[in-house]
Amino acid sequence: AGGSLFDCLELLNMVSQGKINVYAEPLIKNIGRYIYRTHIADDYFINFADGDAKIELYAELVHRYGCRIEDTHLSNLGAAAFHQASGTMRIPGWYPMLRVLSHLMNFANLKAISATPPYVRDVWLDGIQVMAAREQGGSYQGLYLAAKGGHNDESHNHNDVGQFVVYSYGQPVIIDVGV
């Protein structure tokens, strides 16, 4: 959803020649930041409700979103995901033309960037009552815990209140079976 929103915002920015630019809005920034705040290690992400535990990031899009909102954590996650995929450009057949063109224009730039995922130490997402904490910031080494509070009357709820996951050195130990 965040990627599709970003596509739309890029179109608005492009056709208005930069006059419609909402990247400084806190909501837009937080939608992008959600990606690295729920990142556990490699392609593992917090997966409460109906989410998958493993997600393939669209590295160029994540990197560009981070640049637009001026968030180095997000742009570094995108660049690191690009290099984790061996610096290759995988473009799914369903990709919108805007994403394909952005990939082509930014390929050399991403190839030249050296970055590591931010591995944020502590996260609290008040609106959805999700917390995450890792033993040490900047690394997937050690223990990682994420938990979901909330209530069953919240929007798009899946009766997943009270769920938690535990990872050790980037590998799942206790999981939420989710989907």
Side-chain angles (χ1 to χ4, degrees):
S4 294
L5 171 66
F6 183 70
D7 287 339
C8 294
L9 295 177
E10 285 291 270
L11 282 171
L12 284 172
N13 192 3
M14 188 173 24
V15 299
S16 72
Q17 298 178 331
K19 291 182 179 112
I20 301 176
N21 180 337
V22 296
Y23 295 115
E25 294 295 322
L27 179 62
I28 301 304
K29 288 184 176 217
N30 283 331
I31 289 170
R33 290 174 176 152
Y34 179 84
I35 300 166
Y36 69 78
R37 289 176 173 165
T38 60
H39 180 234
I40 300 168
D42 296 327
D43 54 357
Y44 284 112
F45 288 80
I46 297 173
N47 71 312
F48 301 127
D50 60 355
D52 292 325
K54 285 187 159 192
I55 298 171
E56 180 183 349
L57 287 183
Y58 300 112
E60 189 277 334
L61 184 144
V62 171
H63 177 263
R64 201 161 26 96
Y65 198 147
C67 291
R68 284 286 193 201
I69 66 170
E70 299 178 353
D71 189 305
T72 55
H73 286 328
L74 186 57
S75 59
N76 284 347
L77 179 61
F82 175 81
H83 288 286
Q84 183 180 348
S86 303
T88 59
M89 185 178 356
R90 188 184 84 68
I91 300 175
W94 59 265
Y95 244 35
M97 186 54 70
L98 177 64
R99 284 190 192 178
V100 172
L101 293 174
S102 294
H103 270 62
L104 293 173
M105 290 187 302
N106 293 317
F107 183 79
N109 180 37
L110 271 174
K111 199 122 176 104
I113 296 171
S114 176
T116 57
Y119 298 117
V120 178
R121 182 162 192 252
D122 302 304
V123 174
W124 171 244
L125 302 173
D126 185 49
I128 56 174
Q129 294 190 5
V130 168
M131 66 75 57
R134 62 179 79 242
E135 203 168 326
Q136 51 186 329
S139 171
Y140 65 86
Q141 302 295 313
L143 290 174
Y144 177 92
L145 166 71
K148 168 90 172 95
H151 52 83
N152 287 327
D153 195 29
E154 64 190 19
S155 175
H156 197 72
N157 185 271
H158 294 270
N159 294 328
D160 56 354
V161 173
Q163 297 295 308
F164 66 95
V165 294
V166 176
Y167 281 66
S168 178
Y169 292 83
Q171 296 299 307
V173 176
I174 300 173
I175 63 169
D176 175 358
V177 294
V179 293

